[in-house]
């Protein structure tokens, strides 16, 4: 006669996939906390990653090529500037277009960081804020997708 086992002995690990679900829920929650600018940029980053998500893609290389990653960032920035042009000019007018004179004024006050009595980011930071934000968000998205690939058994070369 077969002896009956208690439930916990029959199914020793009933919540194997809960960790993945919890991590995914945490990631979605953290994305909901992003500032408005980052929330508007995120779909462009996800679209670019979706386009490159195929077997043996460069995003799954052990050491992805920096030039390719920078080119991805540049494409994303161009898409954001093209499709979100109105938003960029309305919300961040001082960052969307600079005259050479303004840039010279900014470089002249590098030490203090004050321009016309206001505290502002210095020259290069003001110009590259979109590029820097896209780069950080892209690397985070690539890391997330690489982790998912490992979990699914996709080999990262």
């Amino acid at each position: 006669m077969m002896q009956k086992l208690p439930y916990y002995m029959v199914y020793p690990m009933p919540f194997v996939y809960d960790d993945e679900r919890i991590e995914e829920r945490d990631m979605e929650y953290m994305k909901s906390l992003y500032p408005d600018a980052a929330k508007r940029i995120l779909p462009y980053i996800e679209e670019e990653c979706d386009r490159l998500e195929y077997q043996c893609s460069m995003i799954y290389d052990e050491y992805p090529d920096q030039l390719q990653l920078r080119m991805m960032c540049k494409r994303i920035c161009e898409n954001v500037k093209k499709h979100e042009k109105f938003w960029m000019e309305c919300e961040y007018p001082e960052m969307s277009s600079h005259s050479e004179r303004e840039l010279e004024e900014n470089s002249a006050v590098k030490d203090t960081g004050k321009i016309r009595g206001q505290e502002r980011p210095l020259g290069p930071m003001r110009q590259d804020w979109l590029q820097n934000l896209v780069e950080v968000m892209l690397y985070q998205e690539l890391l997330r997708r690489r982790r998912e690939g490992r979990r699914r058994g996709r080999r990262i070369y």
Side-chain angles (χ1 to χ4, degrees), residues 69-148:
L69 293 174
R70 289 203 175 116
M71 287 173 56
M72 282 176 67
C73 289
K74 187 176 180 181
R75 278 193 303 265
I76 293 168
C77 287
E78 288 171 359
N79 279 340
V80 169
K81 287 177 183 176
K82 184 170 68 174
H83 293 101
E84 301 287 336
K85 188 171 178 66
F86 176 74
W87 168 74
M88 293 288 290
E89 289 175 356
C90 288
E91 272 190 53
Y92 302 102
E94 72 275 358
M95 293 183 187
S96 63
S97 62
H98 296 289
S99 68
E100 288 182 24
R101 192 169 136 243
E102 282 181 337
L103 292 176
E104 287 174 11
E105 287 176 14
N106 292 347
S107 62
V109 290
K110 256 186 184 172
D111 297 332
T112 63
K114 290 190 175 186
I115 303 169
R116 296 184 199 110
Q118 295 178 358
E119 195 73 29
R120 290 188 182 183
L122 298 176
M125 268 178 104
R126 280 183 56 196
Q127 294 171 354
D128 297 343
W129 73 272
L130 178 64
Q131 177 86 20
N132 293 338
L133 180 63
V134 165
E135 214 168 319
V136 170
M137 291 176 67
L138 175 67
Y139 296 157
Q140 179 183 4
E141 183 68 20
L142 289 176
L143 178 64
R144 185 182 69 81
R145 289 174 187 242
R146 288 166 61 101
R147 282 184 185 156
E148 283 179 10

Side-chain angles (χ1 to χ4, degrees), residues 4-73:
K4 291 186 178 181
L5 294 173
Y7 175 78
Y8 65 88
M9 294 292 289
V10 176
Y11 302 106
M13 294 180 15
F15 304 111
V16 173
Y17 300 108
D18 272 356
D19 291 341
E20 291 176 23
R21 246 183 291 161
I22 291 169
E23 285 179 22
E24 188 64 32
R25 188 176 60 210
D26 284 347
M27 183 59 108
E28 292 302 317
Y29 176 71
M30 289 300 167
K31 284 181 181 180
S32 73
L33 297 176
Y34 282 178
D36 290 336
K39 284 180 186 176
R40 303 238 0 214
I41 293 169
L42 187 62
Y44 297 100
I45 292 170
E46 289 175 343
E47 177 185 341
E48 184 70 21
C49 289
D50 288 343
R51 195 174 68 77
L52 290 173
E53 192 170 17
Y54 55 86
Q55 194 167 3
C56 297
S57 172
M58 62 76 86
I59 65 174
Y60 296 115
D61 290 347
E62 186 174 356
Y63 299 103
D65 184 34
Q66 286 185 349
L67 178 63
Q68 293 291 328
L69 293 174
R70 289 203 175 116
M71 287 173 56
M72 282 176 67
C73 289

